[in-house]
Amino acid sequence: MTLRSASGRRTAAAVAAALLGPPLVTGCGIKPTGVVESGSAARVLVAAPSRAPIAYFVTGEGRLVPSPDPDYADNSPQGSLQLLLRGPGTVEQEVGLGTRLPPLDAGAAGGVRAFFTSEFHLQVRVPFPVAAIDPLGLKQLVCTAVSTAGPTVQVSVRGPDTELEPTRCEAGR
């Protein structure tokens, strides 16, 4: 009697499998969900090669992004500023980075000067007027200078028209 009922159960299982098709395989018990919106993409900090100068460029959304250039030899505040004033290169342009600084003639980037007036104060002299500079362009200058000078340094930007008040890098604001 036990054999018959076991055999009957196996036959019923075979018939059910034939009617229902292959068995469904489940994962770990997590039910599928629809698309879950989570906001903007994550920010990723990329470590620059040691001693690579960094220029800050601007995204389409108006955020500053550091862009290291390991092929540029001058890792000083002045060298980093020259890199910035040359404008975004091909790679930066391909990913949508730009600048809020005024356009310069070829070779004018060499007109930038950066020097310490005290241990924690850096003066940056640029070859264009700064009285009406775009606030994001000013942040580009200051953060680029600070990238090689140190985070505790205040930066004064001076153009042929005026000198702006000392400020610190606030790249995330």
Side-chain angles (χ1 to χ4, degrees), residues 105-133:
D105 294 332
V112 68
R113 299 286 177 254
F115 53 91
F116 282 92
T117 59
S118 70
E119 184 179 359
F120 297 107
H121 182 260
L122 181 70
Q123 187 173 92
V124 172
R125 293 189 181 179
V126 294
F128 51 84
V130 295
I133 192 170

Side-chain angles (χ1 to χ4, degrees), residues 4-172:
R4 245 190 233 163
S5 72
S7 172
R9 276 188 244 146
R10 275 182 265 183
T11 304
V15 169
L19 292 174
L20 297 175
L24 295 175
V25 178
T26 60
C28 58
I30 298 174
K31 295 180 181 178
T33 63
V35 174
V36 178
E37 294 293 330
S38 63
S40 61
R43 290 185 184 179
V44 177
L45 296 178
V46 178
S50 69
R51 311 278 309 154
I54 295 173
Y56 278 80
F57 291 110
V58 182
T59 67
E61 296 83 32
R63 288 186 306 217
L64 291 183
V65 175
S67 179
D69 187 343
D71 297 325
Y72 194 71
D74 188 352
N75 187 31
S76 67
Q78 185 164 317
S80 292
L81 289 163
Q82 287 173 347
L83 185 64
L84 172 67
L85 293 180
R86 289 180 179 176
T90 305
V91 173
E92 288 88 2
Q93 290 175 10
E94 286 175 357
V95 296
L97 297 180
T99 184
R100 296 286 173 90
L101 297 171
L104 297 175
D105 294 332
V112 68
R113 299 286 177 254
F115 53 91
F116 282 92
T117 59
S118 70
E119 184 179 359
F120 297 107
H121 182 260
L122 181 70
Q123 187 173 92
V124 172
R125 293 189 181 179
V126 294
F128 51 84
V130 295
I133 192 170
D134 181 290
L136 201 50
L138 178 61
K139 283 183 178 183
Q140 280 185 269
L141 286 168
V142 171
C143 292
T144 296
V146 167
S147 72
T148 54
T152 59
V153 173
Q154 284 192 324
V155 178
S156 297
V157 177
R158 173 179 238 161
D161 58 340
T162 191
E163 181 175 346
L164 302 176
E165 291 292 317
T167 187
R168 295 187 191 279
C169 175
E170 296 178 9

